[in-house]
Amino acid sequence: MSNQDDLAQPTLSVIMPVYNGRADLSEAVDSLLQQTVVPQQIIIIDDGSTDGTDRLIEEYCQRDPRIQLVRNAHGGVSAARNKGLELATGGFIYFMDADDLTGPTLFADFLREKRACPELEMFCFAAKMFMDVPVAERKPEITHARNLKGVYSGGTAFIQQLNSSGSAHRVLWSSIISRELIVRTKSRFLPIQNHEDAPFMFTLYLQAKQVFVTPEAYYFKRYTTTSLSVRTRDFSWVKNYFIAREGTEEAIRAANVPVERSLVDDYYFPVMSGCLKMLREHDMTVPKEYQPRVNALVRQLTRNNIKLMVIWYLNPLYSSLVYCKKKLSSAL
């Protein structure tokens, strides 16, 4: 194409919630503005920050009319994203975290595939993670691989392919999504702070007309011990799995599409096994009303999985083995 205007259809809106993220926000926003095709709308929802994040966003707004500041009372990431969806005008939506980075050709490459496949409703890609260190010291490594490539029809067979290939990411920032698909499926974010994007993504994988999947990594996730997913160490992390799972099953019923329970189990397996690890490693107290569900989850996961059986029933042994493995690796 000869110019950016030729590449600019369909339009793109980025939705970026942020809470007390002033330290890393500039790098995230700059990675969007340095795209070879810059999105037409960048909605930054300040979720009640107290560190001057809103003033930094205002400075960006003054320099670039594509950036829009939305002030929200502190209500969490789901409320912020739902608010962003109400204001987005682009034909496609991209959800980004405010401390991460995008590769410079993400939107240009998406538009190329969209031109090749007009029915495309999702553009799914891989992601790398880097430690929160100075730029020169970063060594991003693949953490969210997409081991498929090509155009697929959404549905249960597609989700099975994602599951079996280790490509069924439950995170928003690994896909650009059609706004029409979101509207058509009546997708909204549940009011929880962990796993909130898992049911959202399952619904889209299930009902998208066409999906392009690539192993190319376009997203760079910053690892920091202050992030919500890292610092949450109470039962809410496990509780939110059950809420997310219920949300997924409700969405399946609403779609009136026959889905085997095993497909949903496979989709959620990393989260389910994570629940067992969190419960054991952090010695969590299970509220009485959740004990039957946790007990059922334990029975299901340890029935035929030796590793999870050791984690649950012989956790000191598992911890010792992990420690020894780390010591051996560092010595080599």
Side-chain angles (χ1 to χ4, degrees), residues 225-239:
T225 55
T226 61
S227 70
L228 182 64
S229 59
V230 174
R231 71 173 184 266
T232 303
R233 292 292 182 265
D234 58 32
F235 187 73
S236 66
W237 200 92
V238 178
K239 176 182 176 181

Side-chain angles (χ1 to χ4, degrees), residues 269-283:
F269 180 77
V271 181
M272 295 161 70
S273 58
C275 287
L276 263 65
K277 293 175 185 177
M278 294 280 278
L279 285 163
R280 270 293 177 254
E281 290 175 10
H282 302 286
D283 195 24

Side-chain angles (χ1 to χ4, degrees), residues 199-210:
F200 191 93
M201 292 300 295
F202 187 95
T203 299
L204 304 183
Y205 290 144
L206 183 65
Q207 298 192 55
K209 295 175 183 175
Q210 296 286 294

